[in-house]
Amino acid sequence: ERLIVRGQGYRSPFGVRGVQVVLDGIPLTLADGQATLGIVEPGLVRRAEIVRGPAGALWGNGSGGVLFLDTITGAEAGATLEASGGSDGLAEVGAEAVGETGALRMGAAASRLYREGYRDYAEQEVYRARGWADLALGPSASLRVTAALEDSPFLEHPGGLTAEQLAEDRRQPDARFVEAEAGKTVTQGQAAASLTAATPAGDLRATLYGVARDLDNPLPFGYIALDRTAGGARLALERTRGPLTLTLGADAALQRDDRFRSPNEAGQPVGDPTLDQLETVASGALFALGRVQLAGGLAASAALRADRVRFSADDRLLGDGDQSGSRTLAALSPQIGVTYRAGPALLFASLATAFETPTTTELVNRPDGGGGFNPDLEPQRTLGVEVGARGVAGRVLYDVALYAMEVRDGLAPFEGPTGQTFFENRVRTLHRGAEAFAEWQPVPAFAASASYSWSRLRVAEGEFEGNALPGVPEHRLAARVRLSHAGVVLAPELSARSRLYADDANTAWAEDAVTLDLTLAHEGWAVGLVELAPFVRVTNVLDAETVGSIAPNAFGGRYYEPAPERAVIVGLSARL
């Protein structure tokens, strides 16, 4: 669940920070700016789109970027069953069905994933279910209802390794995590309804959603239990008059976390609790976006959003005094941009802002212990500029961009002796980079694509001035080729990155990494009424020993989380 956009989100040891996530038009990011992706079934994602860079003017708290995921299929009515298995004890099954009757179209899917894991003490089991229904309410209105469920009976956590442990045995877990039976048991459900309608005042979109999450999380430093309920609403009205399009909107969200923490012994809470409090986050926002088509292919846009986020804590552990209290954080986020259409090319430039409050998890982790919220943490604020171009040249689709961002009071992680992660505000960081993507398809049977990013992310002030931010490579390249003939598809994929620094001092790092994956599949052939599509996928064909990610500033040098070596996955899907 590590999602990093131009350096935003690098600090997250779990979940997603700094980047908003929207699933089928419904925000997964809660009022405090945190999102978890366990409820997303990757096999159902049909389309992914990302806003690269600050988007606070439209999406508010934690939108250093925005990831949009769509799972609703446009396929005809029918059913699909898929099963796969492979290395590291992988066994996965899933089913999806789509039906249609009159003005109603609906779908449902369910899956079960089991994996022993590449490392020792990394076993996991995850069940997911999802359903949706689209109802036409006449020629100019429609209603969409979605619901999803995740149930993870066990997600073992092997912890990070030191460089010495990595060299000795990269599959070994951190002994403290095994002794503590560290991991998670998670159940999360959510439901949403979204209405779109063409009205005399403009095009209306209204969304209402709710989330419930139950988490038990034993770790070496303690046992955490969290009971979360959350929800929100978003309303937007868009109206076009001549060359001007104006969008007005409002957001509201509420989050309620009942949090408990105690000492942990072999995966069970023991002794006196160290934290017992009810945390509430309430946010509200108003936003406006205007876009005007000027002469020729020139267009300009501007947006402004006002956010107010209130955190409150009701301390129920009064032995060390009542540390109940509240904090209110507010921000005004402007954005301006211009585009110019020159034939098949679109040139663009923008100046945008974002702000990001600490999440409840970050606020309650106080280095001095006790309840309530860390009074020293402030929201981070981002100002970014971007220029670029995208379009088509012959048979080549391309997208290039240059950006520069300044992040003030950036939230940075550090780990205590017990393994608990705390956060502090860094004075200032500068993010500069370039991104390029190209896709070439000279004939239907052959396609090639490549993307490259250069990210120069530096601390601008303070003790570590000039150092690179940990967890983000300066260079990253991904390339893919797709060859097809008579229904058979061969698709090699290459991924390469430069070193990953592991700490603010830049004294530790993971070396450069290059991996090659290979997929061989058949697009499907009919056997009676069933269409069968088998596939074989070999990941890390070169059997490289790489580090998949790092835990920035982990205590005792336990930064490294090794990626799997060569693995094979074999699967078959059957569609009725």
Side-chain angles (χ1 to χ4, degrees):
E1 291 192 349
R2 291 214 168 89
L3 181 61
I4 302 172
V5 178
R6 296 178 178 176
Q8 304 281 39
Y10 86 94
R11 75 183 192 275
S12 175
F14 60 89
V16 176
R17 312 281 203 279
V19 181
Q20 285 265 347
V21 184
V22 181
L23 178 65
D24 295 324
I26 310 302
L28 287 186
T29 303
L30 302 181
D32 68 346
Q34 178 179 191
T36 57
L37 304 186
I39 205 162
V40 178
E41 169 54 64
L44 294 180
V45 175
R46 268 79 189 197
R47 182 171 179 268
E49 182 178 351
I50 194 157
V51 175
R52 301 167 297 173
L58 293 179
W59 290 97
N61 184 17
S63 52
V66 187
L67 174 65
F68 298 93
L69 301 173
D70 291 325
T71 68
I72 309 300
T73 177
E76 296 179 355
T80 302
L81 176 66
E82 183 172 305
S84 60
S87 304
D88 304 321
L90 173 67
E92 185 172 14
V93 293
E96 182 179 23
V98 177
E100 189 170 358
T101 173
L104 179 64
R105 190 166 185 272
M106 67 195 90
S111 67
R112 185 238 184 200
L113 168 70
Y114 172 80
R115 183 163 44 203
E116 292 179 1
Y118 166 70
R119 295 175 62 191
D120 297 333
Y121 195 73
E123 190 178 10
Q124 59 177 278
E125 185 176 28
V126 183
Y127 296 86
R128 297 186 180 99
R130 185 164 186 81
W132 56 271
D134 284 343
L135 177 64
L137 302 177
S140 60
S142 64
L143 176 67
R144 169 171 289 176
V145 177
T146 62
L149 176 68
E150 173 206 1
D151 182 45
S152 299
F154 54 87
L155 298 168
E156 292 181 341
H157 186 359
L161 300 178
T162 66
E164 294 75 18
Q165 290 172 325
L166 190 66
E168 174 191 355
D169 179 6
R170 57 189 290 107
R171 290 178 180 259
Q172 68 176 304
D174 183 334
R176 300 174 308 153
F177 280 64
V178 178
E179 182 181 354
E181 296 190 13
K184 292 180 181 179
T185 299
V186 181
T187 301
Q188 178 170 326
Q190 59 189 58
S194 182
L195 174 69
T196 58
T199 72
D203 294 331
L204 175 70
R205 182 178 178 88
T207 300
L208 186 67
Y209 62 94
V211 179
R213 179 178 176 86
D214 184 70
L215 167 70
D216 288 288
N217 187 197
L219 290 166
F221 64 82
Y223 187 100
I224 300 171
L226 177 69
D227 183 7
R228 169 176 291 162
T229 54
R234 182 178 176 93
L235 184 67
L237 181 67
E238 181 179 290
R239 180 169 183 151
T240 300
R241 286 293 181 269
L244 176 65
T245 299
L246 180 64
T247 302
L248 301 176
D251 273 332
L254 184 64
Q255 179 179 337
R256 180 185 181 276
D257 290 353
D258 193 340
R259 192 185 305 269
F260 171 87
R261 187 171 67 220
S262 73
N264 171 35
E265 185 175 305
Q268 297 297 321
V270 296
D272 296 330
T274 57
L275 182 72
D276 186 0
Q277 64 185 30
L278 179 65
E279 305 150 10
T280 304
V281 187
S283 68
L286 297 173
F287 62 88
L289 168 66
R291 178 178 174 83
V292 61
Q293 191 68 44
L294 304 172
L298 186 65
S301 63
L304 182 65
R305 177 180 173 116
D307 280 273
R308 186 175 184 272
V309 186
R310 185 178 188 273
F311 295 81
S312 60
D314 180 10
D315 186 6
R316 296 180 296 218
L317 194 64
L318 305 179
D320 57 351
D322 188 352
Q323 299 181 64
S324 302
S326 64
R327 296 188 63 186
T328 299
L329 307 173
L332 197 63
S333 303
Q335 176 177 324
I336 57 173
V338 294
T339 61
Y340 180 72
R341 172 67 67 179
L346 179 70
L347 309 179
F348 57 89
S350 69
L351 184 149
T353 59
F355 84 105
E356 182 178 345
T357 68
T359 67
T360 56
T361 304
E362 294 164 352
L363 281 170
V364 301
N365 287 353
R366 299 179 57 168
D368 59 354
F373 293 136
N374 186 340
D376 300 322
L377 276 186
E378 298 294 335
Q380 72 176 37
R381 301 176 187 272
T382 302
L383 173 65
V385 294
E386 176 185 24
V387 296
R390 64 175 62 98
V392 180
R395 295 184 181 274
V396 176
L397 175 71
Y398 65 89
D399 185 337
V400 294
L402 301 173
Y403 69 88
M405 301 192 310
E406 180 185 62
V407 180
R408 290 189 173 273
D409 297 323
L411 293 158
F414 66 96
E415 195 173 278
T418 63
Q420 187 173 6
T421 302
F422 304 102
F423 294 85
E424 62 185 355
N425 289 106
R426 199 191 307 277
V427 178
R428 188 165 65 98
T429 58
L430 296 177
H431 302 210
R432 297 185 178 91
E435 299 160 343
F437 169 80
E439 184 175 47
W440 178 48
Q441 187 170 7
V443 294
F446 176 84
S449 63
S451 63
Y452 167 75
S453 64
W454 170 69
S455 307
R456 185 174 175 83
L457 315 177
R458 295 291 185 266
V459 179
E461 296 179 16
E463 177 184 359
F464 302 111
E465 183 175 347
N467 286 7
L469 291 186
V472 185
E474 186 163 337
H475 303 277
R476 184 184 290 276
L477 171 70
R480 184 175 189 266
V481 173
R482 187 181 189 275
L483 301 164
S484 62
H485 177 70
V488 177
V489 177
L490 178 66
E493 300 176 47
L494 178 73
S495 178
R497 62 154 177 81
S498 58
R499 67 169 51 177
L500 282 176
Y501 284 107
D503 62 345
D504 290 336
N506 290 177
T507 58
W509 59 83
E511 296 292 350
D512 303 354
V514 178
T515 57
L516 176 66
D517 299 340
L518 186 63
T519 300
L520 178 65
H522 196 285
E523 294 177 324
W525 67 82
V527 179
L529 298 177
V530 181
E531 184 180 75
L532 299 178
F535 70 88
V536 178
R537 181 171 175 83
V538 183
T539 60
N540 195 3
V541 174
L542 305 177
D543 205 25
E545 294 187 348
T546 65
V547 170
S549 60
I550 59 99
N553 301 317
F555 186 81
R558 299 182 181 90
Y559 308 118
Y560 307 105
E561 298 177 351
E565 296 165 83
R566 185 186 299 118
V568 179
I569 304 169
V570 179
L572 176 69
S573 68
R575 177 171 176 79
L576 298 174

